[in-house]
Amino acid sequence: MIPPLLVKVFCQAPDKTSPQVYPRQSSASTTESRLALSLVRGRHIAAASAAEGYSCEFGSIKYFLLCSIGGIVSCGSTHTSVVPLDLVKCRLQVNAEKYKNIINGFKITIAEEGMKGLARGWAPTLLGYSTQGAGKFGLYEVFKIKYHHLVGEEFGYHYRTFIYLAASASAEFFADIGLCPFEAIKVKMQTSDGFASTMREAVPKMIAQEGNGVFFKSLVPLWMRQIPYTMVKFTCFERTLELLYQYVVPKPRSQCTKAEQLVVTFAAGYIAGVFCAVVSHPADTLVSKMNQAKGSSAGDIIKNIGFAGLWKGLGLRIVMIGTLTGLQWFVYDAFKAGMFSSFLTKAFCQAPENKSCDVPQRGLVQSLVAGRQIAAASVAEGDSCEFASPKYFALCGAAGILSCGITHTAIVPLDLVKCRIQVDPDKYKNIITGFRVTIKEDGIRGLGKGWAPTFYGYSAQGLCKFGLYEVFKVVYTDLLGEENAYLYRTWVYLAASASAEFFADIALSPMEAAKVKIQTTTGYANTLREVVPKMYAEEGLHSFYKSLVPLWMRQIPYTMMKFACFERTVELLYKHVVPKPRADCSKGEQLVVTFAAGYIAGVFCAVVSHPADTVVSKLNQDKGSTAIEAAKKLGMVGLWKGLTPRIIMIGTLTALQWFIYDAFKVTMRMPRPPPGEMPESLRLKLEAAAAQGEPQ
């Protein structure tokens, strides 16, 4: 189930002044309006509640035209934004020997054509999928209403799944006729080396070689790909949305704000996208191969590549189509709700009365202080900055630099031995042997190998990790509101820490790659100045980011555990272990609690992130290897090599980081909200419910 946070994350006071493009339920007496009512009762388009001020009547010509424009914006923008991913996916499908996997595909493309080459085919993509979007979404709304009218209101409700399937298939049939010529041009440009760089160059060449028929020769495979895809896309989306509102969302759709509904829209769209990718992938491979190979038929291609070949690039396409479908529904629904102009302002500002965005918000500060949970001293007079001000976040970032930079650099010897155990367990059998062999071969000085990239990399990571964690925590808490922030505070910690770590790892990745290369490749380089040009000369810029995905796999679960476990452990320690209230503890006593909670969190962190850590070490040692190849080579047992020293290392590291971070806050006289206190409004509600005998 999707956690309640995802549903509530964009909570705002309902804005009745924002106009909606079209009504989704109405009290009008026309046939279309009665149809709209029955659809709303038995259906579940992600929609804002009906309100006055709509720009057109449901089911009118203007309504369908606006739906088509929404489809243009939705499909045109999203497909164009993933052109680099689509290009590599197509090349994986048509030339699996050259483009072995996604990382290798990007690497070869950039090496041969530069960064500009990743955008090849953007023009036909934009024009083709804008045309398709207009037909797909616009005609879907037309056919849905017509088919519903044909079967009648009651049958329309009971058999609504069949209506979604029929309407989406009918719409996609016509939409693909508009898409097909542009799809042919796009695939030809992307998969035929040296054929053409621009659409203007590709079109006359294709006509000269195969005539006008070249633009429609893959129409049948395109229907085979797109019609099942669209049927699943619309039907799965509609029914998933229905189920989310029925079983997951904690309040009726009519009580959800526009932003909350858009979150549900994206979730349902992503789920639908995964199914779409699977059912349509074999046909997608055929389309790519047919537009690459001159004069080939679908039967010839299937015989040539076999059943297994039809599924090449599926993993990449699931990621691409899942994201793409989720974004398309989000953009489409946002367009319909007329929210493009106000969404970003409403998402990050709490100003229900005057609709202004003045930062910092005192209401935000007070709600956090009342119901939040940082291990902290109370806010008191003499603080050096206002809570949630730019200076406050800047100081949190500075504390993160000290916290992560100092601690990670201090344990470089332990990290070095841990990495060597992971990548060469035959030579470095355990932690004692690892230290002994390292000192014997490199001397005591060798234990400090890799300190420079460690210091710079983890300082940059600490800046983003702690600074952005405080930012996201404030933003998510404000979006949820005071009571929900207290009830779902664990989800706030998880979401805020994951968001912060995503950006922190982008800053860390180059230095982590350099560090591991220095530490695990004997004789390769001894200093940061020496290793960087060598790595760049051998593998280009890619060498510094090839382990970014495994790094996310390692660091994001680690950081989510680190922050959420720490926050809740602090809360439990003050509640059940510390013999006096936190307010009566001195700053020194509070820092002892901070260290204890940090160490407990660190142990859990080490366990959940260790397999990915091993893969990161192996990837940055072996030139040209992928995460899957590294994992297969290591095996299940190998993925857990070096866990004991890492538990010791990460437990100590995490405890020290929180200690330094909190000590910095104390030293700088920063405001630090108290641990968990139930908001007064929520306490009164629960007491009233208890008095009336209602379940809490």
Side-chain angles (χ1 to χ4, degrees):
M1 285 176 61
I2 297 172
L5 173 67
L6 291 181
V7 179
K8 294 173 169 285
V9 73
F10 291 111
C11 288
Q12 297 287 338
D15 180 8
K16 303 212 171 152
T17 63
S18 182
Q20 302 223 20
V21 173
Y22 76 104
R24 297 209 184 172
Q25 62 186 53
S26 171
S27 58
S29 58
T30 63
T31 302
E32 287 81 1
S33 297
R34 288 196 299 272
L35 168 60
L37 278 170
S38 65
L39 279 171
V40 170
R41 289 193 195 106
R43 276 281 263 87
H44 309 70
I45 305 174
S49 302
E52 294 181 4
Y54 289 124
S55 64
C56 61
E57 184 183 1
F58 181 84
S60 65
I61 298 298
K62 183 178 180 181
Y63 169 79
F64 293 130
L65 287 174
L66 287 172
C67 288
S68 295
I69 295 171
I72 291 172
V73 175
S74 173
C75 291
S77 62
T78 52
H79 276 276
T80 306
S81 69
V82 296
V83 161
L85 202 59
D86 186 38
L87 179 141
V88 173
K89 181 268 298 178
C90 287
R91 291 182 174 182
L92 281 173
Q93 291 173 325
V94 303
N95 194 350
E97 293 179 359
K98 181 178 180 180
Y99 304 94
K100 294 178 173 56
N101 52 58
I102 180 173
I103 296 174
N104 181 250
F106 273 102
K107 180 180 176 182
I108 292 174
T109 300
I110 293 171
E112 292 182 349
E113 304 172 46
M115 294 296 291
K116 189 177 180 180
L118 292 174
R120 188 182 292 266
W122 72 267
T125 298
L126 175 62
L127 295 173
Y129 283 93
S130 294
T131 303
Q132 186 215 32
K136 176 187 289 189
F137 283 91
L139 291 176
Y140 174 69
E141 300 288 352
V142 172
F143 284 117
K144 189 169 59 176
I145 287 177
K146 295 304 178 186
Y147 292 159
H148 195 284
H149 183 62
L150 284 174
V151 299
E153 185 174 351
E154 292 184 7
F155 279 102
Y157 172 73
H158 288 297
Y159 299 104
R160 59 192 182 278
T161 299
F162 293 102
I163 288 179
Y164 304 149
L165 289 168
S168 56
S170 303
E172 190 61 41
F173 177 87
F174 295 102
D176 288 344
I177 296 172
L179 169 64
C180 194
F182 297 101
E183 181 75 358
I185 297 165
K186 174 187 78 74
V187 174
K188 195 72 174 179
M189 289 173 63
Q190 291 180 340
T191 59
S192 299
D193 293 337
F195 182 80
S197 299
T198 66
M199 186 173 167
R200 290 192 301 272
E201 184 184 356
V203 171
K205 276 191 176 183
M206 292 173 70
I207 294 174
Q209 288 181 0
E210 298 184 64
N212 292 327
V214 68
F215 299 110
F216 290 95
K217 72 173 184 178
S218 62
L219 180 58
V220 173
L222 194 63
W223 277 330
M224 292 168 58
R225 180 188 85 182
Q226 289 299 131
I227 290 178
Y229 165 87
T230 301
M231 291 170 73
V232 172
K233 173 179 177 175
F234 281 83
T235 306
C236 184
F237 170 76
E238 301 271 17
R239 295 313 302 265
T240 301
L241 206 57
E242 180 178 344
L243 294 173
L244 288 177
Y245 278 115
Q246 188 172 355
Y247 296 109
V248 179
V249 182
K251 56 184 176 182
R253 184 196 59 79
S254 60
Q255 295 178 15
C256 294
T257 64
K258 297 174 188 175
E260 287 176 316
Q261 293 175 47
L262 289 176
V263 173
V264 184
T265 294
F266 181 82
Y270 202 102
I271 293 168
V274 173
F275 288 97
C276 290
V278 174
V279 300
S280 63
H281 191 74
D284 181 63
T285 303
L286 282 178
V287 171
S288 296
K289 291 293 283 186
M290 286 189 73
N291 285 305
Q292 181 209 32
K294 181 179 177 180
S296 59
S297 67
D300 295 333
I301 290 169
I302 293 172
K303 288 179 182 178
N304 188 36
I305 65 177
F307 180 77
L310 289 172
W311 297 96
K312 281 285 184 183
L314 176 60
L316 177 58
R317 193 161 183 266
I318 284 175
V319 175
M320 184 180 82
I321 296 300
T323 307
L324 202 67
T325 307
L327 286 174
Q328 283 180 359
W329 279 115
F330 183 92
V331 172
Y332 180 65
D333 229 35
F335 178 87
K336 282 176 144 187
M339 294 184 67
F340 280 125
S341 61
S342 60
F343 179 71
L344 291 176
T345 303
K346 289 167 68 66
F348 290 97
C349 301
Q350 186 182 29
E353 294 182 1
N354 55 18
K355 304 295 184 292
S356 65
C357 186
D358 298 322
V359 179
Q361 309 264 345
R362 291 304 303 174
L364 165 65
V365 175
Q366 295 303 320
S367 67
L368 277 170
V369 171
R372 280 282 306 110
Q373 328 266 342
I374 304 173
S378 301
V379 178
E381 293 183 6
D383 288 336
S384 62
C385 61
E386 184 181 6
F387 181 82
S389 66
K391 183 178 179 181
Y392 172 82
F393 293 130
L395 287 173
C396 288
I401 292 173
L402 292 176
S403 175
C404 292
I406 291 172
T407 52
H408 277 277
T409 307
I411 59 161
V412 161
L414 195 60
D415 186 37
L416 180 142
V417 172
K418 181 268 298 179
C419 286
R420 291 184 173 182
I421 290 173
Q422 290 173 325
V423 302
D424 194 357
D426 294 332
K427 182 176 181 180
Y428 304 93
K429 293 179 171 56
N430 53 55
I431 185 170
I432 296 172
T433 305
F435 272 103
R436 187 169 65 240
V437 173
T438 299
I439 293 171
K440 182 179 178 181
E441 293 183 350
D442 302 329
I444 293 292
R445 188 177 179 183
L447 293 174
K449 187 172 286 192
W451 74 267
T454 298
F455 175 73
Y456 291 120
Y458 283 92
S459 293
Q461 186 213 34
L463 170 68
C464 299
K465 177 187 287 189
F466 283 91
L468 291 178
Y469 174 67
E470 299 290 352
V471 172
F472 283 117
K473 193 166 56 174
V474 168
V475 171
Y476 293 158
T477 300
D478 188 35
L479 291 172
L480 281 168
E482 183 180 10
E483 293 180 7
N484 288 327
Y486 174 77
L487 292 173
Y488 302 109
R489 57 193 181 278
T490 301
W491 294 108
V492 173
Y493 306 147
L494 291 169
S497 56
S499 302
E501 189 61 41
F502 177 86
F503 296 101
D505 288 343
I506 296 173
L508 169 63
S509 186
M511 292 295 128
E512 179 75 359
K515 173 187 77 75
V516 174
K517 199 72 173 177
I518 291 172
Q519 291 179 340
T520 61
T521 307
T522 306
Y524 186 83
N526 293 316
T527 65
L528 182 61
R529 291 192 300 273
E530 186 182 354
V531 75
V532 170
K534 272 192 175 184
M535 292 174 67
Y536 186 79
E538 288 181 356
E539 298 184 71
L541 190 63
H542 167 70
S543 64
F544 299 106
Y545 288 97
K546 71 176 182 178
S547 62
L548 179 58
V549 174
L551 195 63
W552 277 328
M553 292 167 61
R554 179 188 85 184
Q555 290 297 132
I556 290 178
Y558 165 86
T559 301
M560 291 170 73
M561 182 67 72
K562 172 180 178 175
F563 282 83
C565 184
F566 170 77
E567 300 268 22
R568 294 313 299 264
T569 302
V570 165
E571 182 179 343
L572 294 173
L573 287 177
Y574 278 117
K575 188 175 181 180
H576 299 292
V577 179
V578 180
K580 55 183 176 181
R582 187 204 52 79
D584 295 341
C585 295
S586 66
K587 292 178 181 178
E589 289 172 325
Q590 291 178 46
L591 290 177
V592 171
V593 177
T594 294
F595 183 86
Y599 204 100
I600 293 169
V603 172
F604 287 99
C605 290
V607 174
V608 299
S609 63
H610 191 74
D613 180 65
T614 304
V615 172
V616 169
S617 297
K618 198 69 179 172
L619 268 175
N620 285 308
Q621 181 205 35
D622 296 341
K623 181 181 176 181
S625 62
T626 66
I628 295 174
E629 289 168 353
K632 286 181 179 178
K633 188 175 180 180
L634 289 163
M636 181 57 69
V637 176
L639 288 172
W640 295 97
K641 285 286 184 182
L643 178 60
T644 302
R646 193 160 185 269
I647 285 176
I648 298 169
M649 181 181 80
I650 297 299
T652 308
L653 197 73
T654 307
L656 286 173
Q657 284 180 356
W658 279 114
F659 184 88
I660 293 170
Y661 182 67
D662 234 27
F664 181 89
K665 283 184 164 184
V666 170
T667 303
M668 297 303 294
R669 296 180 289 108
M670 295 172 62
R672 301 156 70 224
E677 300 171 1
M678 184 180 292
E680 183 66 15
S681 58
L682 181 60
R683 185 185 64 79
L684 293 173
K685 285 181 181 178
L686 293 176
E687 288 178 356
Q692 296 174 10
E694 296 177 2
Q696 296 183 20

